[in-house]
Amino acid sequence: MASEKRMIAPEHTAVRVALWRALHVRIDPKPHVFTDEIGLKLVGEDDWQSRPDMNPEFSKSMRASIVGRARFIEDLVEEQIKQGVTQYVILGAGLDTFAQRRPDIGSGLQIFEVDQPGPQAWKQKRLHEVGLSAPAWLHFVPVDFEAGQSWWEQLTASGFDSTKPAVIVSTGVSMYLTKEANLSLLQQMTKLAPGSTFAMTFMLSLDLLESAERASMEFVMKRAQEAGTPFLSLFSPGEMLAMANEAGIKTSQYVSANDLYQRYFAQRTDGLNAGTAEAFLVVRT
């Protein structure tokens, strides 16, 4: 019975991300780095701001990281739309709300949300319940990873055209995969059509962090382990770039947390700062 309940519920990490996005809007001064309260609407928690992980000070760097990476992805998608890209794939979509928030540009895309069947079914049910119908250009791609299903096969079966360029993104996923699984994911990206972009976040090795941030990361990792979703892979920037090279990728770029800080936070006066633990690898084909 417990396993059935887990199957039809959202992942706890997806809920936390949605709530941190909303918390940024509610408590941090404008201009907001990223504006999303639709995820909160889907979660439907009344007293969510009383959760320990929503404590304004405790969550400050983590919610900054969440909104910073979300803004980076959205800017990347807009940039690629201007280049003529018409397909957008979100791996581990969770409670992503791009299709609901940005129909102005989303309606010109074919959007594919890839996630586990149970959480995705829950999300579709909640979208209906709150009056947010799924447009024809949004495709839900359920993949049962535990049963060994191939996300690429399920994606193409859902209408993805591998002969056309695409933007594929994966945020907050790589640390839960083995290094072998991350390598396999990167190898898959070499099959994308020319003109495609793949962006993924990764967590830096603990020995690269300052003591305070390392202690915070160790706490987060402990909680993840207790929740049954342990961190399996941390990387140095050099290791990640070397893995991309090993996978056969010709053009890859490391985007550091400091790069995101300079782009989105440096002009703020509230001290909002994502720290240095999470970074991006951006691949172009």
Side-chain angles (χ1 to χ4, degrees):
M1 198 70 174
S3 61
E4 283 183 22
K5 187 175 182 182
R6 279 196 299 272
M7 284 177 64
I8 60 170
E11 294 285 351
H12 67 90
T13 50
V15 169
R16 188 179 298 123
V17 166
L19 296 183
W20 275 337
R21 286 182 173 192
L23 189 65
H24 173 58
V25 177
R26 296 288 177 92
I27 70 172
D28 294 323
K30 294 181 179 181
H32 294 128
V33 175
F34 189 78
T35 301
D36 177 15
E37 294 185 278
I38 293 178
L40 168 63
K41 195 172 183 181
L42 295 179
V43 173
E45 284 189 24
D46 292 329
D47 60 345
W48 62 280
Q49 283 187 249
S50 67
R51 288 171 48 140
D53 54 1
M54 294 299 122
N55 177 278
E57 280 306 309
F58 169 78
S59 68
K60 194 168 189 176
S61 67
M62 290 174 280
R63 72 175 181 272
S65 178
I66 291 301
V67 298
R69 77 188 193 192
R71 175 66 180 275
F72 178 79
I73 289 297
E74 207 140 303
D75 285 353
L76 179 66
V77 171
E78 290 200 61
E79 166 202 299
Q80 290 305 301
I81 288 172
K82 290 173 185 174
Q83 300 299 318
V85 172
T86 58
Q87 299 185 108
Y88 177 29
V89 180
I90 309 166
L91 299 180
L95 298 180
D96 189 273
T97 60
F98 176 79
Q100 288 75 42
R101 288 181 297 100
R102 299 299 309 272
D104 55 319
I105 58 175
S107 58
L109 297 167
Q110 294 298 310
I111 301 174
F112 301 86
E113 293 193 12
V114 180
D115 209 344
Q116 298 182 84
Q120 192 166 84
W122 181 91
K123 179 182 180 180
Q124 289 176 269
K125 177 172 175 284
R126 286 296 296 149
L127 284 169
H128 177 73
E129 288 172 350
V130 302
L132 293 170
S133 59
W137 37 268
L138 173 61
H139 310 276
F140 293 102
V141 185
V143 180
D144 189 344
F145 294 100
E146 291 183 8
Q149 278 190 333
S150 162
W151 69 268
W152 184 259
E153 289 177 4
Q154 295 297 106
L155 181 63
T156 53
S158 298
F160 178 78
D161 188 344
S162 60
T163 68
K164 293 181 178 179
V167 179
I168 299 185
V169 303
S170 172
T171 58
V173 175
S174 66
M175 62 278 209
Y176 300 114
L177 304 178
T178 63
K179 293 196 175 182
E180 292 75 18
N182 277 297
L183 176 61
S184 177
L185 176 61
L186 289 170
Q187 288 170 333
Q188 190 69 59
M189 295 307 116
T190 65
K191 299 178 183 179
L192 293 174
S196 297
T197 302
F198 171 59
M200 66 179 285
T201 58
F202 65 96
M203 305 302 294
L204 294 187
S205 303
L206 293 178
D207 61 352
L208 298 176
L209 306 179
E210 297 292 339
S211 58
E213 192 167 12
R214 184 167 62 247
S216 177
M217 273 297 299
E218 287 171 342
F219 171 79
V220 170
M221 291 172 69
K222 182 173 183 291
R223 292 296 297 272
Q225 176 84 35
E226 291 168 352
T229 53
F231 282 23
L232 301 177
S233 299
L234 305 176
F235 298 91
S236 70
E239 287 171 334
M240 180 54 75
L241 290 167
M243 181 177 286
N245 186 61
E246 182 185 348
I249 289 167
K250 302 288 192 294
T251 306
S252 58
Q253 174 191 8
Y254 164 58
V255 180
S256 71
N258 186 58
D259 292 330
L260 297 185
Y261 175 79
Q262 294 301 327
R263 186 181 297 196
Y264 303 123
F265 300 96
Q267 302 305 313
R268 298 184 67 90
T269 58
D270 58 353
L272 199 64
N273 187 339
T276 61
E278 189 169 42
F280 270 97
L281 176 76
V282 179
V283 169
R284 313 271 185 178
T285 62

